[in-house]
Amino acid sequence: MKEKIEKILEEVKSFHADSKEALEQFRIQYLSKKGTITELFTEFKQVAPEMRKEMGMRLNELKNTIQDIIDEQYKQFETKSEGKTDIDLSLPVEAMKGARHPLSIVREEINDIFRRLGFVVAEGPEVEDDFHVFAALNFPPDHPARDMQDTFFISKSPNENKPTDVLLRTHTSSVQVRAMENNKMPIRIIAPGRVFRNEAISARAHCIFHQIEGLYIDKNVSFADLKQVLYHFVQEYFGEGTKVRFRPSYFPFTETSAEMDISCNICGGEGCNICKHTGWVEIMGCGICDPNILKACNIDPEQYTGFAFGMGIERIAMLKYQINDLRLFFENDLRFLKQFEKA
Ligand code: PHE
């Protein structure tokens, strides 16, 4: 048996597998259930007791040697096969191409225009309370916007006369209130953010959308200032020569209130489907801050006046890029998003 073991030891030591398959064959030949080593262990049972210790050691040594040979040669195959691929790992990677979401692009462009006019970006929470979204903005308790149909409530207050409801903000005007509460005069903020309304999703409406709010409070701020700032914004964003018009409107927190239209940037005012053949498209609500709002936030309306405006980012993006379905902004279809990749 001793000679047998020695012969096998020599045999395996000179073994060199030229493929993974050959190595596997080698393993089967020696180490599998019906392999040489198992056979030897069967023979080992007949070995005379005084030889047992030595033979056992030799046999185990042989087994371990074979296992080492397999492990060692297997490693070589691993590195060899990696080296064989035609990938050149030293080449620089192709620049990763990503695209910003159109709403982010538009938001930043709008922010930039107002930043250059001295506005600073402000933020407020999306989960708000009744006070900041409605009460402080002069919404009467029975105003339809407060209704379940419009607002997503997180929790309703038990006392109807003292609304402490927690809700998802329905407009970014809540940030106006927070700015007035916290800031020293003058206030000049722009507040982009997500808003929520309980509306059925369609091409023209969504339960989540984005707004940008503006608020400017200082001494002697007038409607003429509001018009000039918004006129400047429109020229910058939609191009020189874009016309604006203001239509009287109503918001509980502004007095005078207006809606601003621009001449349709798609047909140039000639009339098309987008402007419903009127030549004008509405882009935002605005107005002079109601003195009651200032008072509620401890700002003296005899000393200070201000204006506010709010626009939907989706609406601006739809006009700018001629997108006709609001849902596209939320579906993340790559065919849509890829169009906003920078060349
Ligand atoms: N918050 C109003 C809306 O969501 C827009 C608005 C903002 C109007 C500021 C006037 C002043 O419709």
Side-chain angles (χ1 to χ4, degrees):
M1 183 161 195
K2 197 175 161 190
E3 290 77 54
K4 229 183 194 173
I5 293 178
E6 235 128 68
K7 197 171 153 251
I8 295 171
L9 201 58
E10 254 171 60
E11 230 171 73
V12 296
K13 274 188 178 162
S14 61
F15 172 76
H16 269 290
D18 49 11
S19 67
K20 251 191 201 175
E21 291 71 36
L23 191 59
E24 177 61 8
Q25 209 47 55
F26 177 78
R27 190 192 64 79
I28 293 170
Q29 186 186 340
Y30 290 98
L31 297 185
S32 68
K33 264 189 192 161
K34 290 181 183 161
T36 314
I37 297 293
T38 317
E39 264 170 37
L40 282 173
F41 271 109
T42 320
E43 264 178 56
F44 175 73
K45 285 175 191 155
Q46 330 284 292
V47 169
E50 65 273 17
M51 297 292 284
R52 278 233 165 136
K53 201 175 166 203
E54 196 198 333
M55 281 308 138
M57 267 167 58
R58 281 176 189 269
L59 200 49
N60 272 322
E61 214 177 84
L62 175 65
K63 191 181 162 199
N64 291 340
T65 309
I66 295 172
Q67 190 60 57
D68 287 350
I69 289 169
I70 292 173
D71 290 348
E72 192 52 42
Q73 299 203 10
Y74 189 79
K75 251 191 258 164
Q76 282 173 2
F77 280 122
E78 287 293 278
T79 45
K80 242 192 196 165
S81 66
E82 264 172 37
K84 258 192 210 161
T85 60
D86 349 323
I87 300 169
D88 181 349
L89 294 172
S90 65
L91 279 177
V93 279
E94 205 186 308
M96 294 242 282
K97 255 201 189 166
R100 302 204 71 191
H101 193 280
L103 293 178
S104 304
I105 298 173
V106 171
R107 183 194 61 219
E108 282 316 306
E109 286 170 349
I110 297 173
N111 281 354
D112 275 347
I113 294 172
F114 285 101
R115 271 201 205 104
R116 289 198 290 274
L117 291 174
F119 286 77
V120 271
V121 174
E123 277 185 343
E126 292 176 349
V127 179
E128 265 289 8
D129 50 38
D130 181 278
F131 178 76
H132 290 92
V133 178
F134 298 125
L137 289 166
N138 225 7
F139 280 82
D142 55 354
H143 194 284
R146 282 188 163 173
D147 209 297
M148 283 298 238
Q149 255 105 57
D150 259 293
T151 308
F152 286 113
F153 288 95
I154 307 256
S155 65
K156 286 287 259 174
S157 74
N159 181 350
E160 271 198 18
N161 299 322
K162 230 177 142 213
T164 52
D165 305 340
V166 179
L167 42 86
L168 297 180
R169 65 181 177 194
T170 56
H171 56 180
T172 43
S173 299
S174 54
V175 189
Q176 277 190 43
V177 181
R178 292 193 174 269
M180 288 190 273
E181 283 173 340
N182 297 326
N183 285 10
K184 286 197 180 141
M185 293 297 130
I187 298 171
R188 211 185 280 140
I189 57 146
I190 185 109
R194 201 152 54 143
V195 300
F196 308 83
R197 286 183 200 176
N198 193 358
E199 294 203 29
I201 296 168
S202 72
R204 301 173 60 91
H206 209 287
C207 55
I208 302 176
F209 57 101
H210 300 76
Q211 289 188 328
I212 293 193
E213 191 84 8
L215 176 68
Y216 182 17
I217 304 178
D218 201 351
K219 290 180 175 154
N220 301 318
V221 175
S222 69
F223 201 88
D225 297 315
L226 169 64
K227 276 168 98 173
Q228 188 54 42
V229 164
L230 294 182
Y231 179 76
H232 173 80
F233 161 69
V234 168
Q235 302 307 302
E236 287 264 306
Y237 201 66
F238 290 101
E240 295 276 323
T242 309
K243 290 191 205 129
V244 301
R245 75 175 185 190
F246 292 81
R247 283 179 292 106
S249 185
Y250 173 77
F251 300 102
F253 43 98
T254 48
E255 181 63 45
T256 319
S257 305
E259 236 136 353
M260 188 177 81
D261 298 343
I262 60 169
S263 52
C264 179
N265 69 316
I266 287 155
C267 63
E270 297 280 306
C272 67
N273 278 340
I274 304 286
C275 63
K276 298 196 199 95
H277 300 280
T278 62
W280 296 94
V281 282
E282 182 202 317
I283 65 163
M284 68 173 97
C286 57
I288 294 293
C289 299
D290 191 312
N292 288 336
I293 307 290
L294 303 186
K295 254 190 244 162
C297 294
N298 289 326
I299 299 168
D300 180 2
E302 298 295 328
Q303 268 202 65
Y304 292 100
T305 49
F307 65 72
F309 57 88
M311 62 185 121
I313 303 182
E314 282 82 357
R315 174 121 186 102
I316 304 284
M318 284 168 98
L319 290 171
K320 179 93 175 181
Y321 296 108
Q322 305 191 16
I323 297 162
N324 58 12
D325 193 324
L326 193 61
R327 290 168 291 197
L328 285 166
F329 291 116
F330 303 97
E331 284 164 354
N332 287 332
D333 186 326
L334 282 179
R335 290 167 299 178
F336 174 68
L337 296 177
K338 270 177 184 269
Q339 296 175 60
F340 299 92
E341 264 174 12
K342 284 216 177 95

